[in-house]
């Protein structure tokens, strides 16, 4: 099991999404490798450098889980097995457009979203490129 990457989420309005992603692509000197629509939540999502940009209407952003960290892992099952006893699973592994995720609250209150990407699902939804 390994955390392969972690991202800091930032939330912006749907109108600011493209401008924000473009700004951070220029800031970090690299294009977004992953960009997709999360239709069920009415959100657009893109990874850029150390950030995950989440865009949507005020209502959709308010309804979405407000994770503090997004951590990509090679296996959700292995990650769950390694959790300290005082971590609280807020949401068991569930399907998402790019793979599966799980939400865990740490004792300090930090909410982690662990994501296990599926190359097949990513290829089907990725708009980057």
């Amino acid at each position: 099991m390994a955390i392969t990457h972690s991202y800091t989420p930032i939330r912006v309005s749907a109108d600011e999404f493209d401008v924000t992603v473009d700004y951070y692509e220029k800031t970090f000197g690299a294009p977004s490798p992953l960009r997709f629509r999360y239709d069920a939540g009415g959100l657009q999502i893109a990874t850029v450098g150390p950030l995950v940009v989440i865009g949507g209407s005020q209502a959709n952003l308010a309804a979405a889980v407000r994770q503090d960290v997004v951590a990509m892992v090679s296996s959700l099952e292995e990650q769950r097995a390694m959790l300290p006893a005082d971590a609280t699973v807020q949401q068991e592994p569930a399907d998402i457009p790019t793979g599966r995720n799980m939400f865990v609250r740490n004792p300090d209150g930090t909410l982690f979203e662990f994501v296990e990407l599926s190359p097949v699902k990513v290829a089907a939804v990725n708009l980057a490129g």
Side-chain angles (χ1 to χ4, degrees), residues 14 26 28-29 31 33 39 41 44 66 79 81 87 94-95 100 121 124:
K26 290 175 184 169
F28 295 114
D39 293 329
Q44 299 176 77
R66 294 195 60 86
Q79 181 63 41
D95 289 334
R100 299 184 315 137
K121 285 185 169 186

Side-chain angles (χ1 to χ4, degrees), residues 51-120:
L51 305 174
V52 59
V53 181
I54 303 167
S57 69
Q58 291 297 339
N60 289 341
L61 289 171
V65 174
R66 294 195 60 86
Q67 69 278 64
D68 299 302
V69 177
V70 177
M72 307 310 229
V73 298
S74 53
S75 168
L76 285 178
E77 285 75 21
E78 290 178 17
Q79 181 63 41
R80 192 177 196 309
M82 291 181 58
L83 291 174
D86 53 356
T88 304
V89 175
Q90 301 278 291
Q91 176 195 295
E92 294 291 342
D95 289 334
I96 58 173
T98 56
R100 299 184 315 137
N101 71 349
M102 171 178 69
F103 289 93
V104 176
R105 185 155 319 269
N106 293 339
D108 65 3
T110 303
L111 183 63
F112 272 72
E113 177 183 9
F114 292 103
V115 176
E116 178 185 327
L117 293 177
S118 160
V120 171

Side-chain angles (χ1 to χ4, degrees), residues 5-83:
H5 198 84
S6 63
Y7 297 98
T8 301
I10 60 172
R11 293 158 183 84
V12 299
S13 72
D15 294 339
E16 297 172 331
F17 182 78
D18 290 329
V19 171
T20 301
V21 171
D22 182 58
Y23 173 83
Y24 285 114
E25 286 176 332
K26 290 175 184 169
T27 298
F28 295 114
S32 168
L34 178 61
R35 186 174 180 152
F36 64 98
R37 296 185 199 291
Y38 183 42
D39 293 329
L43 302 171
Q44 299 176 77
I45 300 171
T47 58
V48 186
L51 305 174
V52 59
V53 181
I54 303 167
S57 69
Q58 291 297 339
N60 289 341
L61 289 171
V65 174
R66 294 195 60 86
Q67 69 278 64
D68 299 302
V69 177
V70 177
M72 307 310 229
V73 298
S74 53
S75 168
L76 285 178
E77 285 75 21
E78 290 178 17
Q79 181 63 41
R80 192 177 196 309
M82 291 181 58
L83 291 174

